[in-house]
Amino acid sequence: MIDLHTHSSASDGTDLPGDLVNKALANGLTTIAITDHDTVSGWDEAIKYLRPGLDLVLGSEISCQTSDGISVHMLGLLFDRENIELSNVLEQTRENRVGRMERIIARMNEAGIEITMAEVRAQMAEGATLGRPHLADALIAKKVVKSREEAFEQLLHNNSKYYIPHYSPTPEEVIGYIKAAGGVAVIAHPLASLRGRTVSIDSFATMISAGLDGIEISHRDHTPEQRDLLHNVVKEFDIIATGSSDYHGNGKLNQLAEFTTEPAAFEALEAKANARRVVRI
Ligand code: AMP
Ligand code: ZN
Ligand code: FE
Ligand code: FE
């Protein structure tokens, strides 16, 4: 079983990278990708806990924004972590997330919700990528809401008056950076409309011209109709379909391996990286 999209405490997941690896083994996974938002900081810990029987795919879920302001998440897998340009992009986005959080907090304070940056930071592991789920956790700690789900539903969703995006490069730019770093690019949950506006089916052609290798189709946030639409795109352009859990520990309902990627699809994907980078012990 292959799960190509999971989060650890290096971003907004709640399991330490080592625990994620242990749970992958306990759940019978044979391959797991660790794809924290805009960072590679969980990779070393994940490698440390790796044992025979599990292959580790190192990656990151990279934030993008289209020229129309639509948020897109791009999974970069099997890229060279030494690549300076890609590291710089990730660092820049992590920095932008800090200023953006300060502005969200300021809006909440103006509306009478008492919350501080220090309280949000207290919810985050050292060196992790800051995100709205950490703000949700701080609001839970202050008993403003009961769960991350409730926090997003009531206050943090993309159409909320408190919502502020963070600047990120376009999907085409990010695909270019991932490919230049020798990795593969798979667009994550492209039609998941719970998160706000999504890209149109027509826009896949441009991303594929830029080098997009695959589309994450099997994901809990896609309806059967959306999966059919995406399978048509994959067939038409001869790219790769993946499936994954987008597991966040107990930060989300998503269960490890609830959706998986076919072995043949993963093989085809791996063959597109410029070196064999799957970690195996
Ligand atoms: P951000 O990266 O700061 O824009 O926050 C987006 C993150 O919040 C995504 O990684 C989602 O996994 C998470 N998220 C979005 N909606 C929810 C929700 N309803 N419950 C828990 N986490 C969510
Ligand atoms: Zn997340
Ligand atoms: Fe995502
Ligand atoms: Fe994710």
Side-chain angles (χ1 to χ4, degrees):
M1 276 198 304
I2 303 168
D3 190 339
L4 291 183
H5 178 175
T6 71
H7 296 269
S8 77
S9 55
S11 65
D12 54 6
T14 58
D15 290 343
L16 293 165
D19 292 336
L20 183 59
V21 164
N22 287 335
K23 284 187 186 176
L25 275 156
N27 279 272
L29 280 174
T30 50
T31 301
I32 188 172
I34 176 169
T35 54
D36 280 302
H37 297 281
D38 305 307
T39 188
V40 302
S41 69
W43 288 11
D44 288 332
E45 277 296 300
I47 293 169
K48 221 193 277 178
Y49 285 81
L50 197 60
R51 298 198 300 281
L54 184 68
D55 289 357
L56 181 63
V57 172
L58 299 168
S60 176
E61 184 176 17
I62 305 175
S63 307
C64 317
Q65 207 174 45
T66 67
S67 51
D68 301 333
I70 299 171
S71 159
V72 170
H73 287 174
M74 192 65 65
L75 295 167
L77 306 172
L78 302 170
F79 58 81
D80 174 12
R81 74 193 294 170
E82 304 296 331
N83 183 277
I84 299 294
E85 288 77 17
L86 183 53
S87 307
N88 287 345
V89 167
L90 300 183
E91 190 182 346
Q92 184 67 56
T93 296
R94 290 196 302 271
E95 258 174 52
N96 291 344
R97 283 169 166 276
V98 176
R100 172 252 201 162
M101 182 63 73
E102 283 165 349
R103 292 169 61 209
I104 295 176
I105 289 172
R107 280 195 188 176
M108 289 192 148
N109 292 163
E110 275 165 33
I113 302 169
E114 283 177 35
I115 195 80
T116 66
M117 192 65 171
E119 287 166 337
V120 175
R121 283 202 182 280
Q123 299 298 328
M124 218 175 106
E126 179 85 28
T129 302
L130 177 64
R132 279 176 283 166
H134 302 112
L135 173 54
D137 292 345
L139 293 167
I140 296 167
K142 296 201 88 167
K143 302 206 167 16
V144 177
V145 290
K146 289 200 181 67
S147 66
R148 282 190 181 184
E149 293 294 328
E150 190 184 322
F152 271 88
E153 224 163 80
Q154 296 187 0
L155 303 165
L156 304 181
H157 58 88
N158 289 35
N159 300 317
S160 156
K161 61 178 176 179
Y162 305 116
Y163 178 69
I164 292 171
H166 52 84
Y167 168 78
S168 307
T170 65
E172 289 76 17
E173 285 169 335
V174 168
I175 291 166
Y177 287 120
I178 294 168
K179 303 301 290 181
V184 298
V186 177
I187 186 169
H189 49 69
L191 301 183
S193 53
L194 295 172
R195 306 153 203 269
R197 285 191 300 149
T198 56
V199 293
S200 72
I201 285 286
D202 297 337
S203 59
F204 286 105
T206 327
M207 288 190 258
I208 291 162
S209 301
L212 184 72
D213 298 293
I215 302 180
E216 182 182 64
I217 298 181
S218 301
H219 185 286
R220 72 153 61 203
D221 295 346
H222 284 156
T223 64
E225 293 73 25
Q226 290 173 328
R227 289 172 207 201
D228 288 345
L229 276 174
L230 293 171
H231 275 297
N232 289 340
V233 176
V234 159
K235 268 199 213 112
E236 181 182 344
F237 293 96
D238 193 25
I239 59 170
I240 297 160
T242 72
S244 40
S245 65
D246 202 356
Y247 174 74
H248 279 71
N250 56 30
K252 264 186 152 185
L253 301 172
N254 310 35
Q255 295 301 308
L256 206 55
E258 65 176 23
F259 292 101
T260 57
T261 299
E262 291 298 321
F266 179 61
E267 240 173 70
L269 205 56
E270 194 195 352
K272 287 179 182 277
N274 77 344
R276 294 193 74 82
R277 294 203 183 85
V278 174
V279 187
R280 189 172 293 147
I281 283 170

